[in-house]
Amino acid sequence: MTKSEFIEKLAVELGVTCDQLGDPVLLSSLAAWDSMGRIAVLAFFDSEMGVELEPGALTKCRTVGDLVGLASSRITE
Amino acid sequence: MIHDIATYLPPTVVSNDRLAALYPGWSADKIFEKTGIRERRVVAPDECASDLAFRAAESLFERTDRSADFLLFCTQSPDYLLPTTACVLQHRLRLPISCAALDFNLGCSGYVYGLALADSLIRSGAARRVLLLTGDTYSRLIHPQDKSTRTIFGDAGTATLLTTEARPRLNGFVLGTDGAGAQQLMVQTGGARNPEKVPGVGSVDDSGNYIDSNSLYMNGPEIFNFTLQTVPKLVQSVCNRAAVQLRDIDLVLFHQANAFMLEHLRRKLQVPANRFVVDLEFCGNTVSSTIPLALERLVRSGRLQPKMKVLLAGFGVGYSWGGCILDW
């Protein structure tokens, strides 16, 4: 999966447009970044990316760029 | 081994409409969409978890002999710090004084642990007739302004009678624990570690949920991540231990945590929908009672038939998990 494809799919999960998901964007600024939104993103990582996250990994993410970093093993530029 | 199951739900209903009126921006439909739950039951102010278990047991004893030589009560809501609530229940249920009685404190995995304990007691010859009760009143632990927990959890009690009969048979038990996850689903105060409630120290999280150390705290995303990593391995381990393939299982019955999690697990495990039990729409997540509640309904509806294989798995608070095969 390319980074742009990852951002497209992430945008769908979070109910935003791709241009709202630049790397520096704070996740806390996104309305959908609540408990259920985080669960949806975890499900996305699991089913679409095949990525298992360490406990607490998502909690440590502050920006969209941090999420991209979590998926880096499955993303090609 | 499982001779009979009876259940009890308290009569007070908390509907999605009622909750939506409390939470701006949340409609009844939105609550259902997020959780798969339309209603949950809650206890009356003077009602305890043991009362729910008692009523379930009384229903059971309407159709079978009032006897047991071992009473197990799974609860995280005991009547008292001491004595053991199971002792109180032995007396209330008019069981013989030769009956052993024991509480054990587990939640989501509790019913499977209870089956493992009962099965072991019977196989060892220590008991011949085990009454396994579950009961919890999470509604009493939840802050009214925490919609993440209030929309999910409900109260219930169940009673399962296990005997030396050959079938239905239990096998393939796999149990596990990871206490590193203890703080992800917790009530901090009221136990020996922090005996006093701490007034006025709550806060609102980024989802608008009020959280404080006196109420049930649940980190939904971390718990979901835990299930993604644990449940598939648990299912595989249970199948290996029972020498079966998942495709040979007629019904998969997990702890009914919430519908989104269940559907994701179903897809991840590639279990056909007609073999995967989802049954929490009208009672919510009743902790250790979810599996026996669903089992009883499967029997009553005729969906569970003799010779069917059912894979049971409970997972959650602790973290704790357990699974087994039920040969009905």
Side-chain angles (χ1 to χ4, degrees):
Chain A
M1 185 183 294
T2 65
K3 181 179 173 181
S4 61
E5 286 169 340
F6 172 79
I7 293 296
E8 272 178 30
K9 289 177 184 282
L10 187 64
V12 169
E13 295 298 328
L14 295 174
V16 297
T17 57
C18 294
D19 56 7
Q20 292 176 281
L21 293 181
D23 279 2
V25 170
L26 287 175
L27 294 167
S28 57
S29 69
L30 302 172
W33 192 249
D34 58 7
S35 175
M36 288 306 298
R38 285 193 280 263
I39 287 174
V41 168
L42 282 167
F44 162 67
F45 267 78
D46 183 56
S47 59
E48 298 283 335
M49 310 290 294
V51 173
E52 273 192 11
L53 297 180
E54 291 297 314
L58 198 68
T59 305
K60 292 175 187 166
C61 290
R62 293 285 174 261
T63 65
V64 172
D66 291 339
L67 285 182
V68 173
L70 283 184
S72 61
S73 63
R74 295 285 196 272
I75 287 178
T76 55
E77 282 291 337
Chain B
M1 184 78 67
I2 291 184
H3 182 79
D4 202 353
I5 300 173
T7 63
Y8 177 76
L9 294 172
T12 304
V13 175
V14 176
S15 67
N16 286 355
D17 284 323
R18 186 170 150 189
L19 291 176
L22 299 172
Y23 306 132
W26 280 45
S27 67
D29 286 343
K30 183 174 179 178
I31 293 172
F32 177 72
E33 181 190 315
K34 284 178 176 287
T35 65
I37 301 165
R38 295 192 192 277
E39 296 178 356
R40 66 290 294 152
R41 304 292 185 95
V42 296
V43 287
D46 59 348
E47 206 168 16
C48 294
S50 66
D51 297 319
L52 307 180
F54 171 80
R55 287 179 178 267
E58 285 292 305
S59 291
L60 192 86
F61 289 141
E62 285 174 5
R63 25 181 218 261
T64 191
D65 292 341
R66 181 181 294 270
S67 77
D69 52 10
F70 216 110
L71 191 163
L72 292 167
F73 182 35
C74 177
T75 188
Q76 301 197 298
S77 315
D79 283 10
Y80 313 103
L81 287 178
L82 69 156
T84 295
T85 306
C87 297
V88 179
L89 281 165
Q90 174 274 334
H91 181 67
R92 288 182 68 186
L93 289 168
R94 294 177 279 126
L95 294 172
I97 60 172
S98 55
C99 177
L102 176 62
D103 287 358
F104 64 102
N105 183 326
L106 277 174
C108 323
S109 65
Y111 188 69
V112 177
Y113 268 75
L115 292 178
L117 290 170
D119 186 69
S120 301
L121 287 165
I122 290 173
R123 287 179 189 270
S124 72
R128 295 182 61 80
R129 199 171 162 93
V130 179
L131 182 64
L132 168 61
L133 305 179
T134 67
D136 262 298
T137 53
Y138 268 34
S139 65
R140 287 247 180 95
L141 304 173
I142 288 169
H143 194 282
Q145 287 305 312
D146 184 356
K147 57 183 179 294
S148 70
T149 50
R150 200 163 177 211
T151 52
I152 288 176
F153 290 104
D155 302 332
T158 75
T160 302
L161 186 64
L162 297 105
T163 68
T164 54
E165 291 165 334
R167 291 187 77 95
R169 191 175 71 101
L170 296 161
N171 66 108
F173 280 103
V174 174
L175 309 171
T177 312
D178 185 1
Q183 299 196 353
Q184 308 306 338
L185 188 51
M186 182 183 243
V187 178
Q188 289 190 36
T189 61
R193 184 68 69 191
N194 303 300
E196 301 298 327
K197 286 188 184 292
V198 183
V201 289
S203 61
V204 178
D205 69 10
D206 54 14
S207 299
N209 301 307
Y210 185 85
I211 52 174
D212 69 28
S213 56
N214 305 319
S215 305
L216 181 70
Y217 167 72
M218 180 178 75
N219 188 334
E222 282 300 321
I223 292 167
F224 181 66
N225 198 35
F226 151 74
T227 66
L228 293 180
Q229 300 196 5
T230 303
V231 176
K233 293 173 193 163
L234 172 62
V235 168
Q236 189 58 59
S237 296
V238 169
C239 288
N240 289 348
R241 190 157 289 184
V244 298
Q245 302 285 324
L246 185 55
R247 61 174 178 266
D248 299 325
I249 301 298
D250 298 293
L251 288 172
V252 174
L253 172 49
F254 289 166
H255 161 60
Q256 304 288 293
N258 70 71
F260 179 89
M261 178 192 289
L262 288 172
E263 175 60 12
H264 187 86
L265 287 170
R266 183 191 73 75
R267 288 176 187 266
K268 188 175 174 75
L269 292 164
Q270 298 180 316
V271 176
N274 63 354
R275 295 190 177 194
F276 193 85
V277 180
V278 179
D279 188 7
L280 71 168
E281 188 173 342
F282 294 103
C283 58
N285 178 341
T286 55
V287 201
S288 58
S289 297
T290 71
I291 292 175
L293 272 167
L295 268 177
E296 192 217 22
R297 285 202 271 258
L298 287 169
V299 172
R300 236 179 322 122
S301 69
R303 190 174 169 195
L304 181 53
Q305 290 292 319
K307 300 197 179 170
M308 273 186 161
K309 284 189 184 300
V310 188
L311 188 148
L312 306 179
F315 39 85
V317 59
Y319 296 138
S320 173
W321 58 91
C324 68
I325 302 289
L326 175 59
D327 287 308
W328 194 252

